[in-house]
Amino acid sequence: MRRGRIPGTILTFALGAGIGAVVAFLLAPKSGEELRGDIADGVNEGVNQVRSSGRDLKRRAQRAVDLAKDQVHDAIDAGDRAYNQAKNA
């Protein structure tokens, strides 16, 4: 298989897998109400997972920002001290 055809092959596979999943849902031996409930539960679970990941990412980003602020303040303080020592020398 040539390299230029790999992305198309992957896309075709993913599309086929998606269509297969939809067909499996439609042909599942469950009532429509049960199936809709299962789909809703899965969507809610996914949404909750995305929210949790978002909160975790926000906490990590805030920690990184706080650390960067501390380092900038430390650098400013060190620069002020060096400037004052040079000025007084």
Side-chain angles (χ1 to χ4, degrees):
M1 182 181 307
R2 293 184 320 191
R3 288 185 182 213
R5 297 184 63 179
I6 291 174
T9 303
I10 293 172
L11 179 63
T12 302
F13 175 78
L15 184 61
I19 291 171
V22 169
V23 170
F25 274 128
L26 293 176
L27 298 178
K30 291 185 177 185
S31 70
E33 189 172 327
E34 284 180 297
L35 183 58
R36 285 189 297 274
D38 289 349
I39 292 171
D41 290 344
V43 168
N44 286 335
E45 196 173 300
V47 167
N48 289 338
Q49 192 173 24
V50 167
R51 284 182 182 156
S52 176
S53 296
R55 285 190 296 266
D56 184 45
L57 183 60
K58 181 181 175 183
R59 279 193 297 271
R60 288 181 184 190
Q62 188 59 52
R63 275 189 244 139
V65 167
D66 291 343
L67 179 61
K69 282 182 182 179
D70 289 343
Q71 290 176 345
V72 167
H73 288 297
D74 290 346
I76 290 171
D77 290 343
D80 284 343
R81 283 192 303 273
Y83 173 76
N84 288 331
Q85 284 178 352
K87 187 170 80 172
N88 293 332

